[in-house]
Every structure is written in C-alpha cells, then in structure tokens.
C-alpha cells in the first residue's frame, strides 16, 4: 500500500510576508535530511508538506527522519487511497488500519475536506465511512466522545488519505531560519541540551570545543565529537572547531591566583569563541550555563565572563533544574554519552575554593600579568576544524 507522511508546519504559519522564505528553508532542510534515507517525493500545499514514501522503502526510517526535523507541529503517517471515492477510502481504512482495529475497543471517524468541491460534507463522509467500518469490525464499537481509535480521513485536492491520527513533530523553527550561532560544546550534559534548544529555535550551530591535551585525552575529545554527531541527528551537518587550550590554562595557573582560575579561563573561552564565531558568520554564542549550578555560574561570575564578549550570549538552560536538563538530554539521546567518565578540561584545573563573587578590578589585575591578546591569537591560529557527521 502506498504511504505518505503529512507534515503540518508549526509556528511558521504565523509568519506574514516572509512566510515563503521560512517555508523554502523548511523544505530544503527536510529534503537534505531525507536524501540520506530514501528518494522521497516532497511537496507542499497549504502549509502541509507531503513526503511520498517510495515502494520497498522502510517507512519507519522515513518517519524517524521526519521526527527530527524542526519546524513541524505534527506528523501523520497515512495510506494513499487508490481513488478519491468513498469505497476506496473504506477499503483502504479497512486494510491499512486493521492492526489498529485489532487493538481498539471503540472508534470514530473524523474527516477533513480540503477539496471543497466534493458533494458530501465532512460529517456525511464520517458517518458513511464509520457505518461501513462498524459493519466490518463488529467487535469495535462506535464512540463519538472518547474512542480508543480515531480514523482520520483527509479528502485533499488530488488524493484521499487515511490515518490513525498525528503524532507531535519536533516543533520549533527551521534550522538556519534565525541565522547561525556558536555552541560552546563541552563533554557535559548541559551544553548539548543548550545547543539542541537553540537549534530548535532555528539556529544553525557551529560547535566550539576547548581541548587541553594532554590533561584531557583524545578519548575525551572523541566523546565531545560523539555528542556533536548526536546533535547532527537534529541539526544536520555541523562543524566543530577544536581550540588548543592547554597553553592558556598553564599560563593562568602559573601567573594568577588559584581562586580566580576558572573565571579567567572562562573569559578566555568567551574571547576566543567570539573570534571564531565572527569568522564563521555566527551572530551569538550559546552555553549550557544554569544559574547557580557551579561557582562560575553565579550572577556576578556570569557578569565577569560575559563582559569580554560583544555578541549576545544565549544560555537557554539558565532557568532550568538539572533534572529538567537531564530529561531533555535523554529525549535527544545525548545523556548516555555525556555521562561517560572522561575528564574535562574544567575539572582538571578546578580550584578548591573558587570565587563566587568576583570583583572586576581583581580580575583585570590578574589578567594584566598575561599576554591576553597573544594567547588568544595563538589559540585561534591553532583551531582544528572537524566536519560532522
Ligand atoms: P555541561 O554544562 O556541558 O554539562 P559542565 O557542566 O562541565 O558541562 P561547565 O564547566 O559548568 O560545564 O561550563 C559551563 C558551560 O561552558 C558549558 O555548558 C559549555 O557551554 C561551556 N564549556 C565548558 N567547558 C567547555 C569546553 N571544554 N569547551 C567548550 N565549551 C565549554
Ligand atoms: Mg554545566
């Protein structure tokens, strides 16, 4: 039986004159991602995108791909009726939804009539189809209020479709429709979640990872790249810039007071990230910071680290509890990788008594002992670019 996915656009339907730009972007993103799964025909009519599943193709894989594309509110996997007639709709519903009927105690039919030229109203179609199906599945009783199974009939312009109801899509806005931003990606739980949340808002991501070889191992870097790969399932292609960070950390450790180590290090991260971000056309930085989670994420600490950066810094996890962040990490399948026990550059150098209420003059005094600009230049010059997947 011929199958099709009906994808209903989400928030972009609220757009005005520029709606077409968003729709084009959405179609382009979907096509590019589908290309890796199957050769599907993709078209759009009235804010619904149709993905035709070719015969002999794994429809589950096509469905799974669609679930990971931002910009769609719902996805329905439907059968295409061979003809646009009531008989054909009934036959298709009977065979396509037989497994669903086998599991249901009650059912009803709901009809959408996109083609207004049809002689019957939606209610009439639902009654006729429902009556027939009740005869063919006598064990399943009609129930108009709270049925186990709702048979959806969609009479569209060219075809009639039958399905058992939509499931939620990935939501959000098409990747790239809001521009590009640089995600500071560590090996932890929070930063992949932060990246996913902002990608969902239509940002294309460029990853930046600060790597402290040999304090952190190749395996730790590989773990970060694996997190990047997990994000590409949602975002499509992504490049990760690996910044050599060891020299800077050693310099700070040697020349600055221990309690300021993390803050000064984070200021370097922001400076370097901004440089790389601008070079790659990014309009903002994204971090996984959450208020009060650790010493460097107090309000005064974030004021000090944010001060070196002119770009907006997006911190989507800022108001979230760890548990809420973990829930998303599980949903997006980064959690298991994030908790692998490889050391992180921050943990290697973490001071015993970090300063949670830093004063700017003290920071500036400490930084005056470092060749800040030269260290930033050196790190930027040593960036290794890795393309994922
Ligand atoms: P995560 O926040 O990802 O779980 P974490 O809790 O170890 O890791 P922190 O050390 O608290 O993170 O750092 C806060 C944020 O700074 C991270 O969410 C990430 O955006 C950024 N960050 C930290 N370490 C690195 C790194 N080595 N490379 C890139 N970004 C980093
Ligand atoms: Mg964190």
């Amino acid at each position: 039986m011929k199958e099709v996915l009906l994808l209903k656009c989400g928030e972009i339907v609220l757009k005005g004159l520029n709606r077409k730009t968003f729709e084009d972007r959405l179609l382009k993103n979907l096509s590019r991602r589908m290309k890796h799964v199957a050769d599907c025909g993709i078209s759009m009519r009235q804010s619904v995108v149709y993905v035709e599943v070719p015969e002999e193709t794994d429809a589950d894989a096509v469905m799974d791909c669609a679930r990971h594309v931002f910009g769609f509110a719902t996805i329905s996997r439907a059968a295409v009726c061979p003809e646009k007639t009531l008989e054909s709709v009934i036959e298709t519903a009977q065979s396509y939804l037989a497994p669903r009927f086998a599991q249901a105690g009650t059912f009803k039919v709901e009809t959408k009539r996109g083609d207004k030229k049809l002689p019957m109203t939606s209610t009439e179609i639902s009654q006729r189809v429902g009556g027939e199906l009740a005869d063919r599945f006598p064990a399943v009783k009609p129930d108009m209020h709270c049925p186990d199974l709702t048979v959806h009939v969609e009479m569209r312009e060219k075809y009639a479709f039958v399905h058992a109801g939509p499931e939620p899509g990935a939501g959000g806005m098409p990747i790239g429709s809001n521009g590009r931003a640089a995600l500071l990606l560590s090996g932890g739980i929070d930063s992949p979640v932060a990246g996913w949340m902002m990608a969902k808002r239509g940002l294309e991501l460029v990853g930046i990872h600060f790597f402290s070889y040999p304090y952190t191992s190749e395996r730790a870097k590989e773990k970060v790249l694996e997190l990047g790969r997990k994000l590409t399932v949602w975002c499509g292609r992504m490049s990760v810039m690996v910044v050599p960070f060891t020299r800077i950390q050693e310099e700070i450790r040697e020349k600055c007071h221990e309690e300021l180590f993390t803050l000064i290090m984070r200021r370097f991260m922001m400076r370097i990230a901004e440089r790389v971000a601008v070079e790659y056309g990014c309009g903002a930085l994204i971090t996984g910071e959450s208020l009060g989670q650790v010493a460097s994420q107090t309000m005064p600490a974030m004021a000090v680290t944010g001060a070196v950066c002119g770009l907006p810094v997006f911190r989507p996890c800022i108001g979230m509890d760890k548990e809420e962040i973990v829930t998303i990490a599980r949903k997006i399948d980064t959690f298991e990788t994030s908790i692998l026990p490889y050391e992180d550059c921050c943990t290697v150098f973490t001071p015993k008594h970090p300063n949670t209420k830093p004063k700017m003059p003290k920071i500036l005094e400490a930084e005056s002992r470092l060749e800040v600009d030269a260290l930033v230049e050196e790190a930027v010059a040593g960036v290794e670019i890795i393309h994922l997947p």
Side-chain angles (χ1 to χ4, degrees), residues 12 15-27 44:
I12 64 169
K15 297 285 163 203
L17 291 177
N18 54 357
R19 177 164 150 187
K20 177 92 173 55
T21 322
F22 285 90
E23 289 178 348
D24 289 348
R25 170 79 65 165
L26 184 58
L27 279 179
M44 182 178 216

Side-chain angles (χ1 to χ4, degrees), residues 137-376:
F137 297 100
V140 190
K141 303 294 172 216
D143 176 352
M144 295 308 115
H145 303 291
C146 200
D148 299 334
L149 169 66
T150 301
V151 174
H152 293 256
V153 176
E154 301 204 20
M155 304 300 268
R156 299 271 173 186
E157 218 174 302
K158 272 201 194 141
Y159 299 101
F161 305 102
V162 169
H163 61 86
E167 65 168 79
M173 299 178 76
I175 296 268
S177 63
N178 278 321
R180 189 182 294 157
L183 167 65
L184 281 76
L185 183 61
S186 71
I189 297 168
D190 308 328
S191 49
V193 169
W196 179 84
M197 288 174 80
M198 296 318 299
K200 186 173 181 216
R201 291 310 301 162
L203 287 180
E204 183 185 339
L205 303 180
V206 172
I208 300 181
H209 177 65
F210 296 92
F211 183 45
S212 313
Y213 191 81
Y215 297 102
T216 58
S217 62
E218 276 297 328
R219 283 201 314 181
K221 174 168 131 188
E222 186 43 46
K223 171 186 170 183
V224 172
L225 296 178
E226 182 56 22
L227 287 171
R229 276 181 216 111
K230 299 250 168 179
L231 286 176
T232 65
V233 173
W234 299 90
C235 318
R237 290 176 301 196
M238 175 172 152
S239 301
V240 177
M241 315 292 163
V242 179
V243 183
F245 207 47
T246 315
R247 170 95 200 283
I248 289 175
Q249 289 180 309
E250 287 175 343
E251 281 283 301
I252 303 173
R253 186 174 57 182
E254 205 173 295
K255 295 182 180 154
C256 304
H257 194 283
E258 189 208 7
E259 68 160 21
L260 297 178
F261 178 88
T262 310
L263 286 167
I264 294 176
M265 179 193 76
R266 294 195 61 78
R267 279 161 63 88
F268 270 98
M269 284 187 177
M270 300 305 260
R271 288 187 189 100
I272 296 167
E274 182 173 41
R275 279 283 304 275
V276 175
V278 169
E279 193 173 324
Y280 288 91
C282 300
L285 303 184
I286 303 167
T287 77
E289 288 161 302
S290 165
L291 188 62
Q293 192 189 74
V294 288
S296 60
Q297 292 169 31
T298 63
M299 208 157 42
M302 280 188 284
V304 161
T305 49
V308 292
C309 174
L311 290 179
V313 181
F314 296 152
R315 300 175 172 97
C317 301
I318 197 72
M320 294 167 74
D321 294 349
K322 196 73 187 187
E323 223 177 277
E324 294 169 311
I325 299 173
V326 165
T327 301
I328 298 185
R330 287 189 194 280
K331 168 181 152 155
I332 65 174
D333 192 32
T334 53
F335 183 73
E336 295 300 329
T337 306
S338 289
I339 59 172
L340 292 174
Y342 304 132
E343 67 294 335
D344 179 65
C345 74
C346 301
T347 47
V348 175
F349 290 90
T350 301
K352 280 188 204 69
H353 302 289
N355 189 333
T356 55
K357 290 184 192 133
K359 296 275 181 306
M360 203 51 128
K362 259 175 107 176
I363 301 273
L364 295 177
E365 189 275 321
E367 280 181 352
S368 70
R369 281 175 244 153
L370 304 168
E371 301 279 343
V372 174
D373 291 343
L375 287 168
V376 169

Side-chain angles (χ1 to χ4, degrees), residues 68-133:
H68 290 88
V69 178
F70 293 124
F72 294 109
T74 64
I75 310 172
S76 309
R77 179 171 164 179
V80 185
C81 304
E83 290 167 59
K84 217 170 97 180
T85 60
L86 273 189
E87 292 66 36
S88 184
V89 167
I90 292 160
E91 290 297 327
T92 307
Q94 183 182 1
S95 55
Y96 187 60
L97 300 179
R100 303 290 192 124
F101 273 96
Q103 287 170 359
T106 54
F107 86 104
K108 74 168 175 178
V109 177
E110 250 177 40
T111 303
K112 262 205 205 88
R113 210 175 47 122
D115 178 0
K116 299 295 176 200
K117 291 192 292 260
L118 287 173
M120 297 174 80
T121 66
S122 316
T123 315
E124 284 166 349
I125 297 172
S126 296
Q127 283 169 348
R128 284 282 300 279
V129 175
E132 270 298 322
L133 291 174

Side-chain angles (χ1 to χ4, degrees), residues 2-45:
K2 203 167 162 214
E3 283 190 296
V4 66
L5 305 189
L6 309 175
L7 301 125
K8 308 227 161 122
C9 295
E11 206 173 309
I12 64 169
V13 299
L14 305 172
K15 297 285 163 203
L17 291 177
N18 54 357
R19 177 164 150 187
K20 177 92 173 55
T21 322
F22 285 90
E23 289 178 348
D24 289 348
R25 170 79 65 165
L26 184 58
L27 279 179
K28 214 168 99 188
N29 291 352
L30 179 69
S31 307
R32 191 187 292 155
R33 300 275 289 286
M34 279 293 172
K35 215 170 57 193
H36 301 287
V37 182
D39 187 15
C40 303
I42 297 177
S43 57
M44 182 178 216
R45 250 164 280 132

